[in-house]
Amino acid sequence: YARLWRQSWPLLRNMSVSNFLGLAEEFRPYHRVLVNLILHFLTTPLAVAAVCGGANKISGALTWVAAAAYLAHLSATVAPIVWLGTVASTLLVAAFAARLRRWTVPALLVTFCIGYFGQDAAHLLAGEPTFQSSYQQDSDFWDKLAEHTYFLLPLLFDAALGDESPARRERPILEAEPEMVNLLAIGAGSTALILWSIANLSTSEKKLRKD
């Protein structure tokens, strides 16, 4: 996974709407069956929440900072309706992950495995191969896995819209150069960190007054 995220940065830097739609065209044939999509909307956020819950053990701010930066980046990459769906899903994941922070590491690992392997089970139940299996043997496997992992939530919402939906080809909310988008993502993450710090400082002060 360290290698995965080292390679993801140049991919994100060059990602555009057309690139995302191209990835979505490859992803959609493996997620056409309704039961597969429904189960993915349950299992994928569960696996992500388990990872975020583990990160929150280091600092409760990590999930909110990452979510803010992630959503800021997607605002210039995906269609508005796909972005709004991803916003709702990401916020629910972040809220759930805040509760998972109290769970033990073994419990988080079990939760992650349920979510991760639940996706494979969904494909088996629906009779559809996994998208990862289509590029498993490719020389650029790590590049494709980075894209697949990073954009998994919006890819699910795009797949749910169907092939002919004009909504999936609408221009994103934000149109800017990749460098500006990356700066926006950094700014959004920094703002989330500041707000989280202020909120926790206020909570700590209230507890001290009660004591």
PDB file of all heavy atoms in Angstrom, residues 57-87:
ATOM      1  N   LYS A  57      -7.461   6.604  15.606  1.00  0.00           N
ATOM      2  CA  LYS A  57      -6.775   6.250  16.852  1.00  0.00           C
ATOM      3  C   LYS A  57      -5.493   7.065  17.013  1.00  0.00           C
ATOM      4  O   LYS A  57      -5.026   7.282  18.130  1.00  0.00           O
ATOM      5  CB  LYS A  57      -6.465   4.749  16.877  1.00  0.00           C
ATOM      6  CG  LYS A  57      -7.683   3.870  17.151  1.00  0.00           C
ATOM      7  CD  LYS A  57      -7.282   2.430  17.279  1.00  0.00           C
ATOM      8  CE  LYS A  57      -8.448   1.593  17.812  1.00  0.00           C
ATOM      9  NZ  LYS A  57      -8.837   1.972  19.191  1.00  0.00           N
ATOM     10  N   ILE A  58      -4.927   7.498  15.874  1.00  0.00           N
ATOM     11  CA  ILE A  58      -3.761   8.370  15.913  1.00  0.00           C
ATOM     12  C   ILE A  58      -4.196   9.796  16.223  1.00  0.00           C
ATOM     13  O   ILE A  58      -3.649  10.464  17.092  1.00  0.00           O
ATOM     14  CB  ILE A  58      -3.012   8.318  14.572  1.00  0.00           C
ATOM     15  CG1 ILE A  58      -2.565   6.884  14.265  1.00  0.00           C
ATOM     16  CG2 ILE A  58      -1.817   9.274  14.581  1.00  0.00           C
ATOM     17  CD1 ILE A  58      -1.986   6.697  12.883  1.00  0.00           C
ATOM     18  N   SER A  59      -5.207  10.255  15.484  1.00  0.00           N
ATOM     19  CA  SER A  59      -5.786  11.583  15.713  1.00  0.00           C
ATOM     20  C   SER A  59      -7.197  11.602  15.149  1.00  0.00           C
ATOM     21  O   SER A  59      -7.413  11.182  13.999  1.00  0.00           O
ATOM     22  CB  SER A  59      -4.954  12.671  15.039  1.00  0.00           C
ATOM     23  OG  SER A  59      -5.632  13.925  15.101  1.00  0.00           O
ATOM     24  N   GLY A  60      -8.125  12.098  15.926  1.00  0.00           N
ATOM     25  CA  GLY A  60      -9.509  12.176  15.479  1.00  0.00           C
ATOM     26  C   GLY A  60      -9.712  13.122  14.319  1.00  0.00           C
ATOM     27  O   GLY A  60     -10.751  13.091  13.659  1.00  0.00           O
ATOM     28  N   ALA A  61      -8.708  13.945  14.042  1.00  0.00           N
ATOM     29  CA  ALA A  61      -8.830  14.923  12.952  1.00  0.00           C
ATOM     30  C   ALA A  61      -8.547  14.302  11.592  1.00  0.00           C
ATOM     31  O   ALA A  61      -8.967  14.857  10.562  1.00  0.00           O
ATOM     32  CB  ALA A  61      -7.867  16.083  13.195  1.00  0.00           C
ATOM     33  N   LEU A  62      -7.831  13.184  11.552  1.00  0.00           N
ATOM     34  CA  LEU A  62      -7.339  12.656  10.287  1.00  0.00           C
ATOM     35  C   LEU A  62      -8.452  12.383   9.275  1.00  0.00           C
ATOM     36  O   LEU A  62      -8.330  12.737   8.099  1.00  0.00           O
ATOM     37  CB  LEU A  62      -6.535  11.377  10.533  1.00  0.00           C
ATOM     38  CG  LEU A  62      -5.151  11.582  11.142  1.00  0.00           C
ATOM     39  CD1 LEU A  62      -4.466  10.235  11.384  1.00  0.00           C
ATOM     40  CD2 LEU A  62      -4.287  12.445  10.230  1.00  0.00           C
ATOM     41  N   THR A  63      -9.528  11.751   9.729  1.00  0.00           N
ATOM     42  CA  THR A  63     -10.605  11.414   8.802  1.00  0.00           C
ATOM     43  C   THR A  63     -11.257  12.661   8.231  1.00  0.00           C
ATOM     44  O   THR A  63     -11.526  12.745   7.024  1.00  0.00           O
ATOM     45  CB  THR A  63     -11.663  10.554   9.499  1.00  0.00           C
ATOM     46  OG1 THR A  63     -11.088   9.279   9.823  1.00  0.00           O
ATOM     47  CG2 THR A  63     -12.878  10.331   8.608  1.00  0.00           C
ATOM     48  N   TRP A  64     -11.511  13.668   9.074  1.00  0.00           N
ATOM     49  CA  TRP A  64     -12.175  14.877   8.596  1.00  0.00           C
ATOM     50  C   TRP A  64     -11.276  15.673   7.662  1.00  0.00           C
ATOM     51  O   TRP A  64     -11.746  16.252   6.669  1.00  0.00           O
ATOM     52  CB  TRP A  64     -12.614  15.732   9.783  1.00  0.00           C
ATOM     53  CG  TRP A  64     -13.653  15.064  10.613  1.00  0.00           C
ATOM     54  CD1 TRP A  64     -13.507  14.513  11.848  1.00  0.00           C
ATOM     55  CD2 TRP A  64     -15.025  14.822  10.242  1.00  0.00           C
ATOM     56  NE1 TRP A  64     -14.683  13.949  12.285  1.00  0.00           N
ATOM     57  CE2 TRP A  64     -15.634  14.134  11.319  1.00  0.00           C
ATOM     58  CE3 TRP A  64     -15.782  15.120   9.114  1.00  0.00           C
ATOM     59  CZ2 TRP A  64     -16.974  13.749  11.285  1.00  0.00           C
ATOM     60  CZ3 TRP A  64     -17.122  14.728   9.088  1.00  0.00           C
ATOM     61  CH2 TRP A  64     -17.701  14.051  10.158  1.00  0.00           C
ATOM     62  N   VAL A  65      -9.995  15.711   7.954  1.00  0.00           N
ATOM     63  CA  VAL A  65      -9.038  16.405   7.070  1.00  0.00           C
ATOM     64  C   VAL A  65      -8.984  15.712   5.708  1.00  0.00           C
ATOM     65  O   VAL A  65      -9.048  16.363   4.653  1.00  0.00           O
ATOM     66  CB  VAL A  65      -7.637  16.446   7.710  1.00  0.00           C
ATOM     67  CG1 VAL A  65      -6.601  16.942   6.706  1.00  0.00           C
ATOM     68  CG2 VAL A  65      -7.643  17.337   8.942  1.00  0.00           C
ATOM     69  N   ALA A  66      -8.862  14.387   5.726  1.00  0.00           N
ATOM     70  CA  ALA A  66      -8.799  13.623   4.481  1.00  0.00           C
ATOM     71  C   ALA A  66     -10.096  13.754   3.690  1.00  0.00           C
ATOM     72  O   ALA A  66     -10.081  13.900   2.464  1.00  0.00           O
ATOM     73  CB  ALA A  66      -8.511  12.155   4.792  1.00  0.00           C
ATOM     74  N   ALA A  67     -11.234  13.724   4.397  1.00  0.00           N
ATOM     75  CA  ALA A  67     -12.533  13.834   3.720  1.00  0.00           C
ATOM     76  C   ALA A  67     -12.684  15.187   3.036  1.00  0.00           C
ATOM     77  O   ALA A  67     -13.152  15.272   1.893  1.00  0.00           O
ATOM     78  CB  ALA A  67     -13.663  13.619   4.727  1.00  0.00           C
ATOM     79  N   ALA A  68     -12.281  16.255   3.717  1.00  0.00           N
ATOM     80  CA  ALA A  68     -12.398  17.596   3.143  1.00  0.00           C
ATOM     81  C   ALA A  68     -11.524  17.737   1.904  1.00  0.00           C
ATOM     82  O   ALA A  68     -11.963  18.264   0.872  1.00  0.00           O
ATOM     83  CB  ALA A  68     -12.012  18.645   4.186  1.00  0.00           C
ATOM     84  N   ALA A  69     -10.290  17.264   1.985  1.00  0.00           N
ATOM     85  CA  ALA A  69      -9.380  17.348   0.840  1.00  0.00           C
ATOM     86  C   ALA A  69      -9.875  16.486  -0.320  1.00  0.00           C
ATOM     87  O   ALA A  69      -9.823  16.902  -1.489  1.00  0.00           O
ATOM     88  CB  ALA A  69      -7.980  16.914   1.266  1.00  0.00           C
ATOM     89  N   TYR A  70     -10.362  15.318   0.006  1.00  0.00           N
ATOM     90  CA  TYR A  70     -10.877  14.381  -1.008  1.00  0.00           C
ATOM     91  C   TYR A  70     -12.055  14.973  -1.766  1.00  0.00           C
ATOM     92  O   TYR A  70     -12.095  14.974  -3.003  1.00  0.00           O
ATOM     93  CB  TYR A  70     -11.267  13.091  -0.303  1.00  0.00           C
ATOM     94  CG  TYR A  70     -11.839  12.006  -1.190  1.00  0.00           C
ATOM     95  CD1 TYR A  70     -11.056  11.399  -2.160  1.00  0.00           C
ATOM     96  CD2 TYR A  70     -13.148  11.565  -1.013  1.00  0.00           C
ATOM     97  CE1 TYR A  70     -11.573  10.373  -2.954  1.00  0.00           C
ATOM     98  CE2 TYR A  70     -13.667  10.544  -1.798  1.00  0.00           C
ATOM     99  CZ  TYR A  70     -12.881   9.960  -2.767  1.00  0.00           C
ATOM    100  OH  TYR A  70     -13.390   8.951  -3.550  1.00  0.00           O
ATOM    101  N   LEU A  71     -13.012  15.511  -1.029  1.00  0.00           N
ATOM    102  CA  LEU A  71     -14.211  16.068  -1.658  1.00  0.00           C
ATOM    103  C   LEU A  71     -13.896  17.323  -2.459  1.00  0.00           C
ATOM    104  O   LEU A  71     -14.510  17.577  -3.500  1.00  0.00           O
ATOM    105  CB  LEU A  71     -15.272  16.359  -0.594  1.00  0.00           C
ATOM    106  CG  LEU A  71     -15.829  15.114   0.113  1.00  0.00           C
ATOM    107  CD1 LEU A  71     -16.775  15.519   1.235  1.00  0.00           C
ATOM    108  CD2 LEU A  71     -16.550  14.199  -0.890  1.00  0.00           C
ATOM    109  N   ALA A  72     -12.943  18.109  -1.986  1.00  0.00           N
ATOM    110  CA  ALA A  72     -12.529  19.302  -2.735  1.00  0.00           C
ATOM    111  C   ALA A  72     -11.926  18.887  -4.076  1.00  0.00           C
ATOM    112  O   ALA A  72     -12.215  19.497  -5.116  1.00  0.00           O
ATOM    113  CB  ALA A  72     -11.524  20.114  -1.927  1.00  0.00           C
ATOM    114  N   HIS A  73     -11.101  17.856  -4.068  1.00  0.00           N
ATOM    115  CA  HIS A  73     -10.505  17.375  -5.314  1.00  0.00           C
ATOM    116  C   HIS A  73     -11.560  16.835  -6.266  1.00  0.00           C
ATOM    117  O   HIS A  73     -11.542  17.125  -7.470  1.00  0.00           O
ATOM    118  CB  HIS A  73      -9.468  16.293  -5.009  1.00  0.00           C
ATOM    119  CG  HIS A  73      -8.820  15.742  -6.240  1.00  0.00           C
ATOM    120  ND1 HIS A  73      -9.229  14.573  -6.821  1.00  0.00           N
ATOM    121  CD2 HIS A  73      -7.803  16.222  -7.012  1.00  0.00           C
ATOM    122  CE1 HIS A  73      -8.495  14.348  -7.905  1.00  0.00           C
ATOM    123  NE2 HIS A  73      -7.621  15.321  -8.037  1.00  0.00           N
ATOM    124  N   LEU A  74     -12.513  16.075  -5.732  1.00  0.00           N
ATOM    125  CA  LEU A  74     -13.547  15.487  -6.581  1.00  0.00           C
ATOM    126  C   LEU A  74     -14.472  16.539  -7.180  1.00  0.00           C
ATOM    127  O   LEU A  74     -15.083  16.302  -8.228  1.00  0.00           O
ATOM    128  CB  LEU A  74     -14.378  14.485  -5.781  1.00  0.00           C
ATOM    129  CG  LEU A  74     -13.714  13.169  -5.388  1.00  0.00           C
ATOM    130  CD1 LEU A  74     -14.715  12.269  -4.681  1.00  0.00           C
ATOM    131  CD2 LEU A  74     -13.128  12.457  -6.599  1.00  0.00           C
ATOM    132  N   SER A  75     -14.594  17.698  -6.536  1.00  0.00           N
ATOM    133  CA  SER A  75     -15.496  18.740  -7.040  1.00  0.00           C
ATOM    134  C   SER A  75     -15.086  19.225  -8.422  1.00  0.00           C
ATOM    135  O   SER A  75     -15.908  19.805  -9.146  1.00  0.00           O
ATOM    136  CB  SER A  75     -15.538  19.927  -6.064  1.00  0.00           C
ATOM    137  OG  SER A  75     -14.294  20.622  -6.053  1.00  0.00           O
ATOM    138  N   ALA A  76     -13.840  18.986  -8.808  1.00  0.00           N
ATOM    139  CA  ALA A  76     -13.352  19.401 -10.128  1.00  0.00           C
ATOM    140  C   ALA A  76     -13.132  18.203 -11.048  1.00  0.00           C
ATOM    141  O   ALA A  76     -12.558  18.350 -12.129  1.00  0.00           O
ATOM    142  CB  ALA A  76     -12.046  20.173  -9.981  1.00  0.00           C
ATOM    143  N   THR A  77     -13.581  17.034 -10.617  1.00  0.00           N
ATOM    144  CA  THR A  77     -13.266  15.810 -11.357  1.00  0.00           C
ATOM    145  C   THR A  77     -14.496  15.035 -11.803  1.00  0.00           C
ATOM    146  O   THR A  77     -14.476  14.383 -12.844  1.00  0.00           O
ATOM    147  CB  THR A  77     -12.390  14.884 -10.493  1.00  0.00           C
ATOM    148  OG1 THR A  77     -11.305  15.630  -9.946  1.00  0.00           O
ATOM    149  CG2 THR A  77     -11.831  13.728 -11.317  1.00  0.00           C
ATOM    150  N   VAL A  78     -15.585  15.096 -11.021  1.00  0.00           N
ATOM    151  CA  VAL A  78     -16.762  14.280 -11.326  1.00  0.00           C
ATOM    152  C   VAL A  78     -17.991  15.167 -11.507  1.00  0.00           C
ATOM    153  O   VAL A  78     -18.004  16.336 -11.103  1.00  0.00           O
ATOM    154  CB  VAL A  78     -17.020  13.241 -10.215  1.00  0.00           C
ATOM    155  CG1 VAL A  78     -15.800  12.354 -10.020  1.00  0.00           C
ATOM    156  CG2 VAL A  78     -17.381  13.920  -8.895  1.00  0.00           C
ATOM    157  N   ALA A  79     -19.029  14.609 -12.104  1.00  0.00           N
ATOM    158  CA  ALA A  79     -20.280  15.330 -12.333  1.00  0.00           C
ATOM    159  C   ALA A  79     -20.922  15.725 -11.001  1.00  0.00           C
ATOM    160  O   ALA A  79     -20.735  15.036  -9.991  1.00  0.00           O
ATOM    161  CB  ALA A  79     -21.237  14.462 -13.145  1.00  0.00           C
ATOM    162  N   PRO A  80     -21.695  16.825 -10.979  1.00  0.00           N
ATOM    163  CA  PRO A  80     -22.299  17.294  -9.718  1.00  0.00           C
ATOM    164  C   PRO A  80     -23.104  16.237  -8.977  1.00  0.00           C
ATOM    165  O   PRO A  80     -22.981  16.107  -7.758  1.00  0.00           O
ATOM    166  CB  PRO A  80     -23.194  18.452 -10.177  1.00  0.00           C
ATOM    167  CG  PRO A  80     -22.505  18.984 -11.393  1.00  0.00           C
ATOM    168  CD  PRO A  80     -21.943  17.771 -12.081  1.00  0.00           C
ATOM    169  N   ILE A  81     -23.932  15.464  -9.684  1.00  0.00           N
ATOM    170  CA  ILE A  81     -24.765  14.484  -8.988  1.00  0.00           C
ATOM    171  C   ILE A  81     -23.915  13.366  -8.395  1.00  0.00           C
ATOM    172  O   ILE A  81     -24.204  12.841  -7.308  1.00  0.00           O
ATOM    173  CB  ILE A  81     -25.852  13.908  -9.942  1.00  0.00           C
ATOM    174  CG1 ILE A  81     -26.862  13.078  -9.139  1.00  0.00           C
ATOM    175  CG2 ILE A  81     -25.223  13.083 -11.060  1.00  0.00           C
ATOM    176  CD1 ILE A  81     -28.089  12.698  -9.938  1.00  0.00           C
ATOM    177  N   VAL A  82     -22.845  12.995  -9.084  1.00  0.00           N
ATOM    178  CA  VAL A  82     -21.913  11.991  -8.552  1.00  0.00           C
ATOM    179  C   VAL A  82     -21.187  12.556  -7.339  1.00  0.00           C
ATOM    180  O   VAL A  82     -20.998  11.864  -6.324  1.00  0.00           O
ATOM    181  CB  VAL A  82     -20.902  11.561  -9.636  1.00  0.00           C
ATOM    182  CG1 VAL A  82     -19.819  10.654  -9.047  1.00  0.00           C
ATOM    183  CG2 VAL A  82     -21.612  10.855 -10.781  1.00  0.00           C
ATOM    184  N   TRP A  83     -20.810  13.833  -7.424  1.00  0.00           N
ATOM    185  CA  TRP A  83     -20.116  14.483  -6.310  1.00  0.00           C
ATOM    186  C   TRP A  83     -21.013  14.561  -5.079  1.00  0.00           C
ATOM    187  O   TRP A  83     -20.572  14.258  -3.963  1.00  0.00           O
ATOM    188  CB  TRP A  83     -19.669  15.888  -6.722  1.00  0.00           C
ATOM    189  CG  TRP A  83     -18.857  16.585  -5.680  1.00  0.00           C
ATOM    190  CD1 TRP A  83     -17.560  16.354  -5.351  1.00  0.00           C
ATOM    191  CD2 TRP A  83     -19.294  17.642  -4.811  1.00  0.00           C
ATOM    192  NE1 TRP A  83     -17.148  17.190  -4.332  1.00  0.00           N
ATOM    193  CE2 TRP A  83     -18.201  17.990  -3.981  1.00  0.00           C
ATOM    194  CE3 TRP A  83     -20.502  18.323  -4.665  1.00  0.00           C
ATOM    195  CZ2 TRP A  83     -18.287  18.990  -3.017  1.00  0.00           C
ATOM    196  CZ3 TRP A  83     -20.590  19.326  -3.704  1.00  0.00           C
ATOM    197  CH2 TRP A  83     -19.482  19.646  -2.899  1.00  0.00           C
ATOM    198  N   LEU A  84     -22.269  14.944  -5.265  1.00  0.00           N
ATOM    199  CA  LEU A  84     -23.188  15.064  -4.117  1.00  0.00           C
ATOM    200  C   LEU A  84     -23.404  13.712  -3.444  1.00  0.00           C
ATOM    201  O   LEU A  84     -23.452  13.626  -2.210  1.00  0.00           O
ATOM    202  CB  LEU A  84     -24.525  15.648  -4.576  1.00  0.00           C
ATOM    203  CG  LEU A  84     -24.491  17.130  -4.986  1.00  0.00           C
ATOM    204  CD1 LEU A  84     -25.829  17.547  -5.590  1.00  0.00           C
ATOM    205  CD2 LEU A  84     -24.163  18.006  -3.783  1.00  0.00           C
ATOM    206  N   GLY A  85     -23.539  12.670  -4.241  1.00  0.00           N
ATOM    207  CA  GLY A  85     -23.676  11.335  -3.658  1.00  0.00           C
ATOM    208  C   GLY A  85     -22.441  10.942  -2.874  1.00  0.00           C
ATOM    209  O   GLY A  85     -22.545  10.365  -1.777  1.00  0.00           O
ATOM    210  N   THR A  86     -21.281  11.270  -3.417  1.00  0.00           N
ATOM    211  CA  THR A  86     -20.018  10.949  -2.733  1.00  0.00           C
ATOM    212  C   THR A  86     -19.858  11.779  -1.466  1.00  0.00           C
ATOM    213  O   THR A  86     -19.332  11.292  -0.463  1.00  0.00           O
ATOM    214  CB  THR A  86     -18.821  11.185  -3.673  1.00  0.00           C
ATOM    215  OG1 THR A  86     -19.034  10.490  -4.905  1.00  0.00           O
ATOM    216  CG2 THR A  86     -17.532  10.683  -3.041  1.00  0.00           C
ATOM    217  N   VAL A  87     -20.317  13.031  -1.491  1.00  0.00           N
ATOM    218  CA  VAL A  87     -20.272  13.879  -0.290  1.00  0.00           C
ATOM    219  C   VAL A  87     -21.079  13.230   0.831  1.00  0.00           C
ATOM    220  O   VAL A  87     -20.595  13.087   1.963  1.00  0.00           O
ATOM    221  CB  VAL A  87     -20.822  15.284  -0.582  1.00  0.00           C
ATOM    222  CG1 VAL A  87     -21.060  16.049   0.722  1.00  0.00           C
ATOM    223  CG2 VAL A  87     -19.857  16.070  -1.461  1.00  0.00           C
TER     224      VAL A  87
END
